[in-house]
């Protein structure tokens, strides 16, 4: 994971030293815990200098220090403009087994432009916005570092060479830090698929036939799949199906249930990529 250091350094600089909103670049950014509070519509419309609204009348020196070096990433207006949590949807991954998929936001302006800039041009200036949005994903109930792992959507060797980096893995690493749940890279993607962009759902599913292979057994029973954009959910569905088909017991005896896995899926954004 050493190659992820430049991304982490850029995020630290954005979050702790840049007091301006990473989206509008006009108003002060606000620390994440303060953005979690409910604001009145009057607060949102006034916009103003967001950071000063949360300061006590006579801040201590420690409070001033925390304000200076923990400004956050977005102002409260921009935060509210992008953090509309989509309704979860489900896909079938095995007989009687569904995969719930939850995205952090919709694949619309400005997220569409930011994701494309980071994914296809490695535009580092968009990463803080993506990280802020990623943090809106609700932490899975009952999941922690000892019983769960995050499985980032694998990329092919050919695509990794072409891009020079793995954008989904970069984002998954940040989600891992936020949730304090480790990454697990025990699934490989076969180099015989094409990009899913622009394909119909039927074409996506056909394109992903036998696209994933487990290279080791999952270390825990709770698997949290992650992708950057979920359109129809076909990629996450195929990944979930591969895990189920390659880990389920070969016997139908109900007493052999040690290989039963709890699988959920998460994405940065949900919507059409066309």
């Amino acid at each position: 994971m050493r190659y992820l250091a430049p991304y982490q350094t850029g995020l630290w600089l954005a979050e702790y030293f840049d007091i301006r909103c990473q989206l509008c670049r006009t108003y002060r950014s606000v620390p994440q815990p303060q953005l979690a509070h409910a604001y009145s519509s009057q607060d949102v419309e006034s916009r103003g200098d967001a950071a000063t609204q949360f300061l006590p009348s006579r801040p201590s020196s420690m409070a001033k220090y925390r304000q200076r070096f923990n400004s956050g990433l977005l102002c409260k207006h921009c935060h509210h403009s992008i953090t509309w949590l989509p309704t979860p949807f489900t896909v079938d991954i095995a007989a009687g087994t569904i995969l719930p998929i939850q995205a952090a936001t919709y694949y619309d302006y400005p997220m569409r432009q930011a994701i494309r800039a980071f994914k296809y041009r490695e535009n580092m200036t968009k990463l803080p916005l993506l990280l802020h949005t990623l943090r809106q994903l609700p932490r899975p109930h009952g999941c922690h570092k000892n019983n769960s792992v995050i499985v980032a959507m694998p990329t092919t060797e050919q695509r990794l060479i072409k891009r020079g980096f793995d954008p989904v893995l970069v984002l998954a690493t940040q989600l891992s830090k936020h949730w304090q749940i480790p990454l697990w890279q025990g699934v490989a993607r076969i180099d015989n698929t094409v990009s899913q962009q622009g394909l119909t759902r039927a074409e996506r599913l056909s394109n992903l036939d036998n696209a994933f292979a487990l290279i080791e057994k999952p270390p825990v029973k709770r698997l949290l799949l992650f992708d950057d954009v979920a359109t129809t959910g076909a990629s996450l569905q195929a990944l979930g199906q591969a895990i189920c088909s390659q880990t389920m017991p070969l016997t139908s005896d109900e007493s052999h249930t040690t290989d039963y896995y709890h699988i959920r899926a998460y994405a940065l954004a949900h919507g059409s990529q066309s």
Side-chain angles (χ1 to χ4, degrees):
M1 292 295 181
R2 186 177 301 176
Y3 75 94
L4 294 172
Y7 301 99
Q8 187 62 63
T9 302
L11 289 169
W12 281 336
L13 290 174
E15 189 158 19
Y16 297 111
F17 291 92
D18 190 347
I19 66 173
R20 293 297 175 184
C21 172
Q22 294 293 312
L23 182 54
C24 70
R25 305 301 301 171
T26 301
Y27 299 96
R28 276 178 175 264
S29 56
V30 181
Q32 188 79 15
Q34 295 175 0
L35 285 173
H37 296 166
Y39 302 116
S40 67
S41 59
Q42 182 179 0
D43 288 335
V44 176
E45 291 171 0
S46 63
R47 296 185 65 165
D49 190 343
T52 61
Q53 298 178 22
F54 299 97
L55 293 179
S57 56
R58 297 177 65 86
S60 64
S61 57
M62 182 57 69
K64 290 180 179 178
Y65 179 85
R66 284 198 298 267
Q67 178 203 1
R68 175 65 184 84
F69 292 101
N70 188 21
S71 59
L73 291 169
L74 297 188
C75 69
K76 64 179 183 178
H77 176 84
C78 289
H79 168 81
H80 281 281
S81 72
I82 66 170
T83 52
W84 296 95
L85 199 66
T87 302
F89 65 102
T90 62
V91 293
D92 295 322
I93 57 174
T97 304
I98 61 172
L99 176 68
I101 302 175
Q102 174 68 70
T105 191
Y106 290 99
Y107 192 62
D108 203 352
Y109 176 84
M111 295 308 303
R112 181 195 300 266
Q113 287 74 11
I115 291 173
R116 285 181 172 178
F118 176 66
K119 187 172 183 176
Y120 299 112
R121 300 194 300 274
E122 200 175 2
N123 187 334
M124 285 287 293
T125 65
K126 306 303 181 183
L127 185 55
L129 171 60
L130 304 185
L131 172 60
H132 180 93
T133 308
L134 200 61
R135 288 175 176 174
Q136 310 315 309
L137 281 172
R139 183 185 178 90
H141 179 70
C143 295
H144 52 76
K145 64 181 180 180
N146 296 321
N147 71 354
S148 308
V149 292
I150 296 174
V151 185
M153 179 63 64
T155 189
T156 65
E157 190 75 20
Q158 180 182 7
R159 198 167 300 166
L160 184 60
I161 293 173
K162 181 179 179 180
R163 284 182 178 161
F165 81 120
D166 186 346
V168 176
L169 182 59
V170 172
L171 295 172
T173 300
Q174 297 305 320
L175 184 62
S176 171
K177 292 176 181 292
H178 181 57
W179 280 351
Q180 292 297 297
I181 295 176
L183 282 172
W184 177 67
Q185 295 178 269
V187 184
R189 188 157 186 167
I190 311 304
D191 272 324
N192 62 355
T193 59
V194 298
S195 172
Q196 294 283 82
Q197 189 170 356
L199 301 181
T200 65
R201 176 166 179 78
E203 290 171 337
R204 289 170 184 266
L205 292 172
S206 176
N207 181 48
L208 291 168
D209 284 345
N210 303 313
F212 303 100
L214 265 67
I215 55 180
E216 61 183 71
K217 186 177 180 179
V220 292
K221 301 301 181 185
R222 295 176 183 260
L223 307 179
L224 309 175
L225 314 185
F226 175 78
D227 202 359
D228 55 352
V229 180
T231 53
T232 64
S235 295
L236 290 168
Q237 182 180 23
L239 179 57
Q241 287 174 338
I243 293 173
C244 284
S245 64
Q246 298 175 49
T247 57
M248 289 295 186
L250 297 177
T251 177
S252 59
D253 186 347
E254 292 184 0
S255 63
H256 295 79
T257 57
T258 55
D259 285 334
Y260 180 75
Y261 292 87
H262 298 272
I263 307 177
R264 300 180 184 177
Y266 295 85
L268 174 61
H270 170 54
S272 174
Q273 295 193 63
S274 59

